[in-house]
């Protein structure tokens, strides 16, 4: 028994943080610690290279258990289960019912019905749509294109007249007049207070949340994670305020709200976002004085963002959505939609939908993510991120409240300005490849040529603003769009013309020429140019002759900085109409520029703007 109780590692003396820091600084050999190892997030706070138990000090919420207020550790006490949701576009109710029954037999536990027309949802049409679907076994979510339809009342009436145990029916209606205002720019007077009737009608169905707060609108418009969380919470608070002022109890108002959040590829931050969100929402609801603390649970549906999804190399989208689904489930999402990998550019297929379903099923059936309550608990890193993110989001939330609440802040233009500034920063980083989109602005598939025909809207932001909009609206877009438009332009040009060829004229130092040739091939392939790497040439004459024989349009000299001063001018003398490019930013750049050599590519280049320039020079 004594052996069983013996503590491990007692032979090793404990290492203090000061000792760790001293060792790290010694290994850095003079490099700046902050620049080398500390990451500054889009949210503005710094992430250290490691964390220790001492970093958990002062986090009072750690004393709570899963399923307990303030619900940081999840809404469930004994597990981490979630609903696997698939969206179905409803144009024909019978066909939608058939598809729903089909996917329910393939692992789906939550159905999202997206209706194409307002007013199409009635008690009778729901009878067709939900025929043979056990409402006690599958969650149902109704998503209408407008906010003044009677879908909530119709569903509540349908359930109440059926043979269901109403307390076991879990559903949502996703009515969001504030979210519609964000995208379309118009808000009817008393639009929120007009929801009182729907809230009252839905009360017989205990777990029917009729109001959907769409944080994903901010995420898909380029916001930071903290902004998405803060503005979503501000919208939720706006609903609470206006509904309670209209006579709805705090408990009923809070239990009518469901949050629809996006999931980005920032793996650990997204886990922390859901945990921080539950903490902050519980405190917000608590301030309204509910009768039951259970009303303060934040119910979140997570959907993989469109922002980082791509048209080129689309199978990479599967990798993105897999880690995103992991973040949402580990963070404690109530339900998750994994968008099929091709959802951003074409109608989804049975294959892409099956893959999307299976990505979540694997997390449950093989990885058992649903078995452990609060699986990220105790992680020094995630707990610290949770607190830091909560602090940042809360500060922004309070700023919105000081402006009179979300609607007032949006009418003032504050919310749009914050999101736009963040989006511009992200766009700049994407253009400079400081934020990578694999397969698009970094490491493209060299052999991929787009065969499909797309109209220009695929590469533009989505503008849903109505005529006579009262305010500037959010315009969801994808970060890859400028690069996709760039490459698509090359692909269209190549249908009728020779595809441009970038030829690597490699000479001199082996290590430098290989590294710079790889960098340059990657650089020009981003625009859809053909690239030709080479093992190395003994002389300039040999390299230039090979470039001309290959039909090169662009000749990229790849060598070491020390050798450029001699090699590059010699190459320039022998080229004709070919565009000469130097790979790197050598010390002799000014000397080369004085000789008329002006094209340099390197890690600090704005690759998007430079590739546009090369297209223009080539007449594309």
């Amino acid at each position: 028994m004594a052996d069983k109780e013996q503590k491990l590692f007692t032979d090793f003396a404990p290492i203090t943080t000061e000792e760790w820091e001293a060792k790290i600084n010694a290994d850095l050999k003079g490099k700046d610690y902050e620049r080398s190892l500390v990451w500054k997030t889009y949210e503005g706070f710094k992430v250290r290279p490691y964390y220790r138990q001492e970093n958990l000090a002062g986090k009072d919420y750690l004393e709570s258990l899963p399923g307990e207020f303030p619900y940081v550790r999840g809404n469930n006490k004994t597990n981490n289960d979630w609903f696997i949701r698939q969206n179905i576009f409803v144009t024909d109710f019978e066909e939608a019912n058939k598809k729903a029954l089909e996917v329910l037999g393939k692992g789906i536990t939550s159905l999202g019905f997206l209706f194409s027309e307002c007013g199409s949802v009635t008690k009778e049409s729901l009878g067709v749509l939900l025929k043979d679907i056990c409402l006690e076994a599958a969650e149902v979510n109704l998503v209408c294109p407008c906010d003044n339809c009677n879908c909530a009342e119709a569903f509540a009436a349908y359930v109440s007249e059926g043979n269901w145990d109403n307390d076991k029916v879990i559903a949502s209606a996703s009515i969001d007049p504030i979210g519609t205002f964000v995208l379309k720019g118009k808000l009817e007077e008393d639009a929120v207070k007009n929801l009182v009737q729907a809230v009252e009608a839905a009360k017989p169905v205990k777990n029917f949340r009729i109001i959907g707060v769409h944080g994903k609108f901010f995420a898909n418009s380029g916001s930071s994670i903290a902004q998405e969380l803060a503005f979503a919470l501000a919208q939720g608070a706006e609903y609470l305020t206006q509904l309670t002022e209209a006579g709805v109890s705090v408990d009923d108002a809070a239990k009518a709200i469901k949050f629809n959040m996006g999931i980005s590829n920032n793996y650990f931050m997204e886990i922390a976002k859901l945990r921080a969100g539950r903490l902050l929402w519980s405190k917000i609801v608590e301030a309204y004085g509910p009768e039951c603390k259970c009303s303060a649970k934040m119910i979140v549906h997570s959907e993989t963002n469109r922002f980082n999804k791509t048209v080129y190399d689309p199978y990479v989208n599967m990798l993105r959505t897999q880690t995103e689904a992991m973040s949402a489930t580990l963070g404690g999402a109530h339900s998750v939609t994994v968008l099929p990998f091709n959802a951003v550019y074409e109608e989804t297929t049975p294959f892409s939908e099956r893959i999307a379903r299976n990505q979540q099923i694997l997390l449950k059936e093989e990885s058992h993510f649903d078995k452990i309550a609060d699986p990220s608990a105790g992680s020094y890193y995630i707990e610290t991120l949770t607190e830091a993110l909560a602090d940042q989001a809360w500060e922004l939330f309070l700023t919105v409240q000081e402006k009179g609440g979300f609607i007032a802040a949006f009418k003032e233009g504050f919310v749009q300005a914050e999101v736009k500034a963040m989006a511009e920063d992200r766009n700049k980083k994407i253009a400079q490849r400081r934020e990578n989109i694999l397969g698009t602005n970094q490491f493209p598939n060299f052999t991929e040529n787009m065969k499909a025909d797309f109209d220009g809207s695929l590469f533009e932001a989505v503008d849903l603003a109505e005529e006579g909009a009262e305010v500037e609206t959010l315009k969801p877009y994808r970060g890859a769009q400028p690069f996709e438009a760039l490459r698509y332009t090359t692909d269209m040009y190549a249908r009728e013309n020779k595809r441009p060829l970038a030829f690597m004229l490699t000479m001199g130092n082996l290590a430098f020429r290989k590294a710079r040739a790889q960098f340059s091939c990657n650089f020009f392939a981003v625009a859809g140019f053909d690239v030709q790497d080479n093992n190395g040439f003994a002389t300039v004459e040999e390299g230039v002759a090979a470039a001309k024989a290959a039909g090169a349009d662009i000749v990229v000299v790849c060598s070491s900085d020390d050798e450029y001063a001699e090699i590059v001018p010699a190459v320039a003398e022998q080229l004709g109409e070919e565009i000469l490019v130097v790979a790197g930013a050598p010390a002799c750049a000014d000397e080369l520029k004085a000789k008329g050599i002006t094209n340099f590519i390197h890690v600090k280049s704005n690759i998007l703007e430079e590739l546009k320039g090369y297209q223009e020079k080539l007449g594309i």
Side-chain angles (χ1 to χ4, degrees):
M1 180 62 70
D3 290 338
K4 291 182 179 179
E5 295 178 355
Q6 184 177 356
K7 292 183 178 180
L8 298 175
F9 308 119
T10 54
D11 293 338
F12 300 92
I15 306 298
T16 66
T17 299
E18 289 73 20
E19 290 175 299
W20 272 112
E21 293 291 299
K23 176 59 176 172
I24 291 171
N25 280 304
D27 289 346
L28 285 174
K29 298 178 181 179
K31 292 182 180 179
D32 185 87
Y33 185 103
E34 292 284 324
R35 290 178 60 86
S36 300
L37 298 178
V38 177
W39 165 45
K40 186 175 181 180
T41 70
Y42 281 122
E43 287 65 32
F45 60 84
K46 295 180 178 179
V47 176
R48 311 297 299 178
Y50 71 99
Y51 292 93
R52 310 191 73 200
Q53 186 172 7
E54 63 202 53
N55 296 110
L56 300 184
K59 296 175 177 56
D60 295 336
Y61 65 80
L62 292 176
E63 301 301 319
S64 65
L65 295 173
E68 293 182 354
F69 186 89
Y71 306 109
V72 180
R73 303 193 58 193
N75 294 327
N76 301 329
K77 290 185 177 181
T78 59
N79 61 60
N80 187 46
D81 203 4
W82 72 93
F83 288 100
I84 299 174
R85 176 168 160 179
Q86 179 171 332
N87 291 333
I88 298 173
F89 291 92
V90 182
T91 53
D92 180 285
F93 283 81
E94 289 187 3
E95 289 302 315
N97 172 258
K98 290 178 182 178
K99 183 166 186 178
L101 292 172
E102 176 189 352
V103 299
L104 284 171
K106 295 180 178 179
I108 288 298
T109 54
S110 175
L111 298 165
F113 292 110
L114 281 59
F115 300 97
S116 58
E117 296 180 6
C118 287
S120 62
V121 183
T122 64
K123 187 177 68 174
E124 291 70 30
S125 64
L126 285 175
V128 177
L129 182 67
L130 301 176
K131 182 182 178 183
D132 297 329
I133 294 176
C134 179
L135 299 184
E136 297 168 328
E139 182 187 50
V140 173
N141 306 277
L142 311 177
V143 183
C144 294
C146 67
D147 299 298
N148 52 12
C149 65
N150 298 317
C151 62
E153 292 92 329
F155 183 81
Y158 174 80
V159 173
S160 297
E161 294 181 11
N163 296 320
W164 315 109
D165 181 345
N166 287 9
D167 289 350
K168 293 182 179 180
V169 175
I170 301 175
S172 72
S174 201
I175 303 171
D176 185 15
I178 299 178
T180 301
F181 176 53
V182 163
L183 294 179
K184 296 185 177 181
K186 286 186 178 181
L187 183 66
E188 295 180 9
E189 188 176 356
D190 294 330
V192 176
K193 293 181 179 179
N194 290 339
L195 296 176
V196 172
Q197 180 180 342
V199 172
E200 292 298 322
K203 283 173 65 175
V205 186
K206 180 180 177 181
N207 296 305
F208 183 25
R209 293 178 179 257
I210 69 158
I211 298 172
V213 174
H214 291 84
K216 66 180 182 180
F217 293 164
F218 303 101
N220 286 321
S221 298
S223 77
S224 69
I225 290 173
Q227 287 175 336
E228 178 193 8
L229 182 56
F231 294 143
L233 291 170
Q235 283 188 6
E238 187 85 47
Y239 282 119
L240 282 180
T241 299
Q242 293 203 32
L243 288 174
T244 52
E245 288 177 351
V248 179
S249 73
V250 176
D251 295 84
D252 288 342
K255 289 180 178 179
I257 297 172
K258 182 177 182 178
F259 289 82
N260 295 286
M261 310 295 284
I263 325 169
S264 74
N265 60 350
N266 197 331
Y267 183 73
F268 293 106
M269 194 77 79
E270 287 292 346
I271 297 174
K273 180 182 76 178
L274 295 184
R275 304 176 89 245
R278 288 193 296 272
L279 171 64
L280 297 180
W281 181 244
S282 70
K283 296 298 184 181
I284 291 169
V285 175
E286 183 184 37
Y288 284 78
E291 292 184 5
C292 178
K293 283 191 174 183
C294 64
S295 301
K297 288 183 179 181
M298 184 185 196
I299 303 300
V300 176
H301 171 65
S302 292
E303 179 179 289
T304 53
N305 281 349
R306 292 176 179 267
F307 182 83
N308 65 334
K309 303 307 181 291
T310 61
V311 174
Y312 282 91
D313 212 353
Y315 293 123
V316 179
N317 290 333
M318 295 184 194
L319 304 180
R320 298 183 177 107
T321 54
Q322 188 64 66
T323 63
E324 289 163 2
M326 291 171 67
S327 293
T329 55
L330 292 174
H334 167 81
S335 57
V336 178
T337 294
V338 171
L339 292 178
F341 70 89
N342 57 345
V344 298
Y345 63 88
E346 67 179 5
E347 186 175 340
T348 57
T349 61
F351 169 73
S352 65
E353 291 175 358
R354 177 170 64 87
I355 293 296
R357 287 192 300 269
N358 289 348
Q359 285 179 269
Q360 290 195 66
I361 293 171
L362 286 171
L363 295 182
K364 279 194 177 187
E365 302 303 325
E366 294 195 16
S367 300
H368 308 297
F369 277 24
D370 59 329
K371 297 296 190 291
I372 306 299
D374 191 17
S376 54
S379 164
Y380 304 153
Y381 179 42
I382 294 177
E383 298 291 7
T384 303
L385 280 185
T386 299
E387 183 179 57
L389 190 54
D391 289 342
Q392 291 291 322
W394 186 247
E395 182 179 344
L396 183 55
F397 170 83
L398 291 179
T399 301
V400 173
Q401 298 310 107
E402 290 168 1
K403 294 180 179 296
F406 183 85
I407 293 175
F410 200 83
K411 287 182 176 179
E412 180 187 317
F414 171 77
V415 175
Q416 302 92 312
E418 290 288 306
V419 173
K420 185 183 292 185
M422 181 57 62
E424 289 175 353
D425 183 35
R426 296 189 69 181
N427 292 343
K428 182 179 179 181
K429 285 183 169 65
I430 291 171
Q432 295 174 334
R433 298 201 290 192
R434 292 163 62 192
E435 182 175 335
N436 290 333
I437 302 177
L438 185 66
T440 300
N441 75 342
Q442 188 71 281
F443 307 119
N445 181 346
F446 291 11
T447 62
E448 184 179 14
N449 300 321
M450 185 59 67
K451 299 294 192 296
D453 291 319
F454 298 121
D455 63 43
S457 63
L458 181 64
F459 309 119
E460 298 173 352
V462 178
D463 187 353
L464 299 176
E466 294 182 346
E467 186 176 350
E470 305 165 17
V471 295
E472 180 185 1
T473 59
L474 291 187
K475 297 171 177 60
Y477 72 103
R478 294 181 296 107
Q481 285 175 329
F483 282 94
E484 291 172 347
L486 179 83
R487 185 164 184 174
Y488 190 67
T489 298
T490 300
D491 283 343
M492 294 304 98
Y493 174 84
R495 290 185 182 184
E496 305 294 335
N497 304 276
K498 170 183 171 293
R499 186 177 293 272
L501 172 64
F503 182 92
M504 305 300 125
L505 199 160
T506 52
M507 288 188 65
N509 184 286
L510 178 63
F512 273 100
R513 79 187 190 212
K514 287 181 69 67
R516 283 175 165 165
Q518 290 173 356
F519 169 84
S520 302
C521 284
N522 186 45
F523 189 100
F524 285 103
V526 164
F529 295 1
D530 281 338
V531 294
Q532 181 176 328
D533 197 359
N534 296 283
N535 290 327
F537 298 99
T539 65
V540 168
E541 290 75 15
E542 180 185 348
V544 171
K548 289 181 177 293
D553 301 281
I554 299 172
V555 176
V556 187
V557 180
C558 304
S559 188
S560 65
D561 288 1
D562 294 338
E563 295 169 291
Y564 276 144
E566 179 180 348
I567 294 174
V568 174
V571 173
E573 289 179 2
Q574 298 184 41
L575 289 180
E577 296 182 356
E578 297 88 354
I579 299 171
L580 175 61
V581 177
V582 179
C588 63
D590 289 338
E591 298 174 21
L592 296 177
K593 289 176 182 177
K595 297 179 181 180
I597 300 163
T598 58
N599 300 312
F600 297 83
I601 59 172
H602 45 79
V603 292
K604 293 184 179 181
S605 295
N606 184 317
I607 182 173
L608 179 63
E609 294 305 318
E610 293 202 18
L611 287 173
K612 286 181 180 178
Y614 287 114
Q615 281 187 334
E616 186 176 343
K617 291 176 183 178
L618 293 168
I620 299 176

